[in-house]
Amino acid sequence: MDEIKNTAGEFQSAQEAIDWIVGRMEKLGMKPGLQRMHLLMEKLGHPERRLKFIHVAGTNGKGSTCAYLASVLQACGYDVGTFTSPYLVRYTNRIQVNGADIEDDVLLRLVNEMKPIVDEIAATEVGPPTMFEISTALAILYFGKVAYPDYVVWETGLGGRLDSTNIVNPIVTVITNVGHDHMDILGDTLELVAAEKAGIIKAGVPVITAVEPAAIWSVIEQTAKAKKATLYSLGDQFNLTEVNSELDHQSFQFNGPFRPIPNLSITLNGEHQLKNAAVAVMTLEVLRQYYATIVEDIDLQKGLSGTKWPGRLEMVSQEPRILIDGAHNPEGAATLAAALQNVYSYKKLHMMIGMLATKNHTGYLRHILPLVDTLIITEANFHKKGDAYLLAEIANGLLREMNLEVDVVVERDWKQALTLLTNRTEQDDLAVVSGTLYLISDVRSWITYQTDSEKGW
């Protein structure tokens, strides 16, 4: 382990350090670009150069794909660092090794080491590093100077090309899919969004993707060709055959360029999870072929079937049945709707949603409204929350257009909304909480622990 400066530092507790980092979100927001990250890495001695990154981008599915990868690699006996966002309960959830959060005393030590460097950069023409940039640098510092994991599963925050995570040179790149999300920042067409995601592709580094349709896939293909990066696409170089699908158990056969792998199973629900698992398996196959990573079939099976991913089609209560899912864009809503129609049974469906102000609410609601008996619209406890009454206006307009009858209720206080949802859900009904993960994290913490969550990007 490298020697880390152990000066008293500006912060006296981990919570003080976290508050300083998270507080930058409201002050500075997001500032795409890598200038500040380059300076941070240079002044910290380039700890990123010591690590093997698996860089994962995509509109939906990247979190569960990261979870599959981390679970299998751990089952194979490797130490695995993960950097994911947003977190569901605590800030430290986003930086883990083998599923354990960064320790508070280590976080405090590292942030105190970083603080003078952050202040120094803030005084230059590039301006102060953001919350996400400092979080990214903190993760790299932890992995590269303290924990030394064998692999780091490295999830982008937003987009790819200008995302702070793009400071690394990975050993393999994954782009799960491209959909309608963050279009106010990434571009107003799917092709532009795809170009931003493709920005994580590096020269000669293999790429695995499940991107479709063809027009969007071609953006990925063109970038890979230009970078001389071998591309493995679902439906082309690899595919899956579904064998069985039932609640909490799905099995499939993987067919890839190196070999077929029969009898794989997962416990996560929804047809989309088969795709995410297949993308993870292809990534692991590339690691086996290119980097001699040892992945025995028994460990592959154990890791896949043992993967858990909270906040996505997660049943957090049985009486009444309450399912939470972080679908917050049209593609996510389509996936949720498919699962509600094909996986779950219920007499009536009651849904509670809360969104951020920047999302494509119309596309989301078109998938959801035909399925629900009750729609309770609330607001996340977050500074970018969407107005519940504006969302209700959109919903009521769509209901008239689609000639549907749904009981639409507005309750801005999410805890009161959750009480309404719970009271309406009878024994044979199903309650669903969906929308922004800032709402999902609060609801999950409240139902599971009866406490409010910390939350943030």
Side-chain angles (χ1 to χ4, degrees):
M1 184 182 293
D2 278 15
E3 192 64 34
I4 298 210
K5 297 173 190 174
N6 199 18
T7 55
E10 181 161 337
F11 305 111
Q12 302 305 306
S13 69
Q15 194 54 55
E16 269 185 44
I18 291 167
D19 290 344
W20 171 69
I21 297 170
V22 174
R24 303 174 80 82
M25 187 66 190
E26 289 199 45
K27 283 186 202 167
L28 301 171
M30 291 176 288
K31 297 192 292 185
L34 291 170
Q35 287 176 296
R36 291 171 297 279
M37 285 303 301
H38 280 297
L39 281 172
L40 275 166
M41 291 301 100
E42 182 184 331
K43 292 176 184 298
L44 289 168
H46 289 290
E48 80 282 6
R49 294 177 181 172
R50 307 177 179 192
L51 301 163
K52 293 178 183 174
F53 292 94
I54 302 166
H55 202 182
V56 183
T59 302
N60 297 302
K62 61 182 183 289
S64 47
T65 301
C66 287
Y68 285 126
L69 288 166
S71 181
V72 173
L73 287 168
Q74 280 177 241
C76 295
Y78 293 104
D79 290 326
V80 185
T82 53
F83 181 66
T84 55
S85 62
Y87 47 89
L88 282 182
V89 181
R90 289 199 71 211
Y91 173 86
T92 52
N93 297 162
R94 73 188 322 146
I95 303 170
Q96 298 185 334
V97 172
N98 297 339
D101 290 7
I102 181 174
E103 301 92 337
D104 282 357
D105 61 328
V106 175
L107 181 145
L108 175 61
R109 206 159 76 238
L110 294 176
V111 175
N112 274 332
E113 179 183 342
M114 287 171 59
K115 177 65 165 59
I117 293 169
V118 170
D119 291 343
E120 186 183 334
I121 293 170
T124 70
E125 69 280 0
V126 301
T130 65
M131 185 282 288
F132 198 76
E133 288 166 345
I134 293 173
S135 299
T136 305
L138 174 61
I140 290 172
L141 199 57
Y142 175 56
F143 297 142
K145 284 195 172 183
V146 179
Y148 303 122
D150 299 301
Y151 296 97
V152 178
V153 178
W154 192 242
E155 182 186 347
T156 60
L158 192 154
R161 182 176 65 94
L162 298 176
D163 187 76
S164 64
T165 62
N166 206 25
I167 197 69
V168 308
N169 281 302
I171 57 172
V172 65
T173 299
V174 180
I175 302 174
T176 56
N177 53 43
V178 173
H180 297 79
D181 208 358
H182 301 296
M183 298 183 86
D184 54 321
I185 297 169
L186 301 181
D188 57 6
T189 69
L190 289 179
E191 286 80 6
L192 287 172
V193 176
E196 289 299 314
K197 308 282 186 198
I200 70 167
I201 296 173
K202 303 294 191 303
V205 176
V207 186
I208 295 89
T209 188
V211 166
E212 51 185 354
I216 305 164
W217 174 83
S218 67
V219 176
I220 309 295
E221 182 198 31
Q222 287 162 18
T223 307
K225 274 186 179 174
K227 297 284 181 71
K228 294 183 169 55
T230 305
L231 181 63
Y232 299 92
S233 294
L234 180 63
D236 194 351
Q237 286 76 23
F238 70 101
N239 58 61
L240 68 97
T241 305
E242 181 183 315
V243 176
N244 179 54
S245 182
E246 55 192 66
L247 186 63
D248 300 332
H249 183 269
Q250 300 188 83
S251 58
F252 67 100
Q253 171 165 317
F254 174 86
N255 300 295
F258 309 125
R259 60 178 181 142
I261 312 175
N263 304 320
L264 296 174
S265 63
I266 58 174
T267 56
L268 298 184
N269 292 308
E271 184 184 347
H272 63 294
Q273 289 297 358
L274 291 172
K275 287 185 180 180
N276 294 336
V279 167
V281 173
M282 187 67 249
T283 305
L284 292 157
E285 285 288 278
V286 165
L287 291 177
R288 286 177 71 250
Q289 292 294 320
Y290 285 61
Y291 302 104
T293 304
I294 298 170
V295 182
E296 302 289 354
D297 285 359
I298 190 170
D299 296 323
L300 175 62
Q301 176 58 68
K302 179 183 173 186
L304 286 177
S305 62
T307 301
K308 293 178 173 55
W309 189 231
R312 277 73 168 186
L313 291 177
E314 181 186 11
M315 196 72 74
V316 290
S317 169
Q318 289 293 343
E319 293 184 2
R321 287 191 305 156
I322 301 176
L323 185 74
I324 61 174
D325 187 76
H328 57 265
N329 53 42
E331 290 79 11
T335 296
L336 172 58
L340 291 173
Q341 288 171 297
N342 301 323
V343 179
Y344 300 93
S345 59
Y346 44 85
K347 185 176 179 183
K348 288 186 174 180
L349 182 63
H350 309 288
M351 182 171 281
M352 166 179 154
I353 66 170
M355 296 289 189
L356 296 190
T358 54
K359 300 301 176 184
N360 183 341
H361 304 130
T362 301
Y364 175 96
L365 288 164
R366 281 191 188 280
H367 291 291
I368 296 301
L369 288 174
L371 303 179
V372 301
D373 295 280
T374 308
L375 183 68
I376 300 172
I377 301 175
T378 191
E379 294 175 359
N381 180 21
F382 190 66
H383 68 283
K384 288 187 177 180
K385 65 187 178 185
D387 185 284
Y389 283 98
L390 289 177
L391 192 52
E393 277 182 33
I394 296 170
N396 283 317
L398 284 170
L399 288 170
R400 288 190 293 272
E401 178 191 316
M402 300 165 80
N403 196 27
L404 295 171
E405 284 191 20
V406 172
D407 186 9
V408 178
V409 180
V410 175
E411 172 51 70
R412 280 183 153 151
D413 184 306
W414 70 264
K415 285 183 183 174
Q416 294 295 328
L418 185 59
T419 300
L420 285 174
L421 181 75
T422 303
N423 290 341
R424 286 200 179 205
T425 306
E426 298 183 0
Q427 186 173 355
D428 294 330
D429 295 348
L430 177 65
V432 179
V433 181
S434 185
T436 173
L437 283 168
Y438 300 109
L439 173 67
I440 298 301
S441 66
D442 274 335
V443 169
R444 187 178 190 276
S445 289
W446 189 249
I447 291 174
T448 308
Y449 308 111
Q450 288 294 298
T451 60
D452 292 325
S453 72
E454 300 174 13
K455 58 184 175 297
W457 266 80

